[in-house]
Amino acid sequence: AQSVAQPEDQVNVAEGNPLTVKCTYSVSGNPYLFWYVQYPNRGLQFLLKYITGDNLVKGSYGFEAEFNKSQTSFHLKKPSALVSDSALYFCAVRDSGLYTDKLIFGTGTRLQVFP
Amino acid sequence: DTEVTQTPKHLVMGMTNKKSLKCEQHMGHRAMYWYKQKAKKPPELMFVYSYEKLSINESVPSRFSPECPNSSLLNLHLHALQPEDSALYLCASSPGEEPNTEAFFGQGTRLTVV
């Protein structure tokens, strides 16, 4: 079964510092991995995805993610955090087959960026 | 247009009421989804429509009834809900069922059952 895990419930970082939000995955077959962000009382916004190819994926709002096959990780990163980056971040894996088609989400990590 | 639009944004309903949630997208996407999200939890899939046909029902109680009138619209009909059904209901769409495509989410309907 496909799954992702986000080991940290919350990450705190000072504005201007680099940030990392961790995600590990367990998949059979090729991993199709995604990061989404959710602001309070809002839907999910797509940030980036890994399908194949370069292990460093660049996405929206200056975010990037590094795919590491040996460590089965797909950590989200940003070189310089902004207060406006404070939100709930979900890592997800696409489970797609004959009888299924869904995004399986991690439990989410709340990012708090302090001024 | 890369938006998925959901109406209403907020809904309060009694346990004997019948109401509907609506979702619309004009991106030509052929797969549409309903997710349910409880507070501080990840979204959980409820239904998938592919090419306007219900392809997946994640064992959702019959008090939730989805409908896809055409390729741009998705409804969720609600009847005799319970207070524990209170949640954020998210609609999403994607180009198809190919695993390498991302889903676009609406802003959700915040449902409160009283």
Side-chain angles (χ1 to χ4, degrees), chain A residues 99, chain B residues 45-48 54-62 64-66:
Chain A
Y99 299 108
Chain B
L45 183 70
M46 300 175 71
F47 303 103
V48 181
L54 182 65
S55 60
I56 296 173
N57 177 341
E58 290 282 292
S59 302
V60 178
S62 60
F64 296 91
S65 176

Side-chain angles (χ1 to χ4, degrees), chain B residues 10-47:
Chain B
H10 298 90
L11 178 62
V12 179
M13 61 184 291
M15 289 187 285
T16 59
N17 291 161
K18 288 185 180 180
K19 296 287 185 183
S20 297
L21 309 185
K22 298 185 183 301
C23 174
E24 189 169 3
Q25 58 88 12
H26 295 287
M27 294 178 277
H29 289 175
R30 304 319 300 255
M32 296 186 75
Y33 313 80
W34 281 113
Y35 282 82
K36 174 182 177 180
Q37 186 180 24
K38 301 285 276 185
K40 301 183 181 180
K41 297 290 187 182
E44 295 180 345
L45 183 70
M46 300 175 71
F47 303 103

Side-chain angles (χ1 to χ4, degrees), chain A residues 1-4 23-35 48-55 57 66-74 91-96 102-104, chain B residues 98-101:
Chain A
Q2 322 282 53
S3 67
V4 289
C23 173
T24 58
Y25 66 89
S26 175
V27 303
S28 54
N30 294 322
Y32 299 103
L33 299 165
F34 302 82
W35 275 103
L48 50 79
K49 65 182 178 183
Y50 174 82
I51 304 302
T52 186
D54 289 341
N55 290 341
V57 179
E66 186 173 7
F67 174 76
N68 188 316
K69 188 174 182 179
S70 62
Q71 297 184 2
T72 62
S73 66
F74 188 54
C91 180
V93 61
R94 186 85 177 255
D95 186 9
S96 183
K102 60 183 174 183
L103 282 170
I104 298 172
Chain B
E98 297 82 9
N100 61 350
T101 56

Side-chain angles (χ1 to χ4, degrees), chain A residues 101, chain B residues 4 23-25 29-34 45 47-51 55 68 70-74 91-94:
Chain A
D101 171 33
Chain B
V4 175
C23 174
E24 189 169 3
Q25 58 88 12
H29 289 175
R30 304 319 300 255
M32 296 186 75
Y33 313 80
W34 281 113
L45 183 70
F47 303 103
V48 181
Y49 272 82
S50 179
Y51 293 86
S55 60
C68 188
N70 60 54
S71 60
S72 299
L73 295 175
L74 186 66
C91 174
S93 70
S94 69

